[in-house]
Amino acid sequence: MSTTNSQEYTQLNAEQLTAQAIAALKRAYVPYSGYPVGAAVLADDGRVYTGCNVENAVYPLTICAERVAITKAISEGAQHILALAVATVNGGTPCGACRQVMQEFGTPAMPVFIARTDGSYRQRTLEELLPEGFSAADLPEK
Ligand code: THU
């Protein structure tokens, strides 16, 4: 199977991506909520970038695991994300802010694996999570 086909590549690696999100969850800094989250993104450079939530005593400065993983990917030179896995103890779903950031760098058909720490997961597309999301296409031409 060709690894240049992102859909095939992603399907092949759903379990691996989920496992990396679960591993990243263990590095979460969550003294305030006690709710660790891990994320892993497969980027168009073929690499997997992980993230965890990092909280702050100034609560709004907290950053979600998904956005840590995505910003790591983009800051390392990736341009697009092909798939994302997020892991929590109870299969919590990505927040609205993270869905919007996924839309910036992903595609509507991008798979999102919403996992539990026991390894089970459900699969959604980004479009299912963020229908009719705002994007650059909605901005007036410069
Ligand atoms: N959190 C994430 O990391 N990702 C989400 O998509 C939802 C929420 C984090 C933020 C905060 O540290 C904790 O979960 C509780 O909201």
Side-chain angles (χ1 to χ4, degrees):
M1 188 179 289
S2 165
T3 54
T4 56
N5 179 318
S6 64
Q7 189 66 23
E8 290 175 3
Y9 189 84
T10 297
Q11 294 305 327
L12 206 59
N13 287 277
E15 279 76 20
Q16 273 176 269
L17 208 59
T18 297
Q20 293 201 51
I22 294 169
L25 171 149
K26 299 186 175 79
R27 299 189 285 274
Y29 176 73
V30 289
Y32 308 106
S33 75
Y35 186 69
V37 184
V41 295
L42 173 65
D44 61 345
D45 60 1
R47 290 177 58 188
V48 172
Y49 297 86
T50 60
C52 60
N53 49 340
V54 181
E55 299 186 343
N56 193 282
V58 180
Y59 295 175
L61 296 186
T62 292
I63 182 162
C64 293
E66 299 93 314
R67 280 178 289 143
V68 169
I70 294 168
T71 54
K72 279 170 70 176
I74 301 304
S75 64
E76 290 296 316
Q79 294 188 306
H80 300 286
I81 59 172
L82 305 178
L84 181 145
V86 57
T88 57
V89 69
N90 61 348
T93 190
C95 82
C98 289
R99 295 175 194 206
Q100 182 66 31
V101 174
M102 287 180 217
Q103 164 148 311
E104 187 73 22
F105 299 108
T107 61
M110 182 186 103
V112 179
F113 306 105
I114 303 170
R116 295 174 185 263
T117 45
D118 66 5
S120 62
Y121 65 86
R122 59 191 193 278
Q123 180 172 347
R124 300 285 182 269
T125 65
L126 177 56
E127 192 169 31
E128 287 173 321
L129 296 177
L130 188 65
E132 296 193 37
F134 187 87
S135 75
D138 293 302
L139 291 170
E141 281 181 37
K142 275 185 237 145

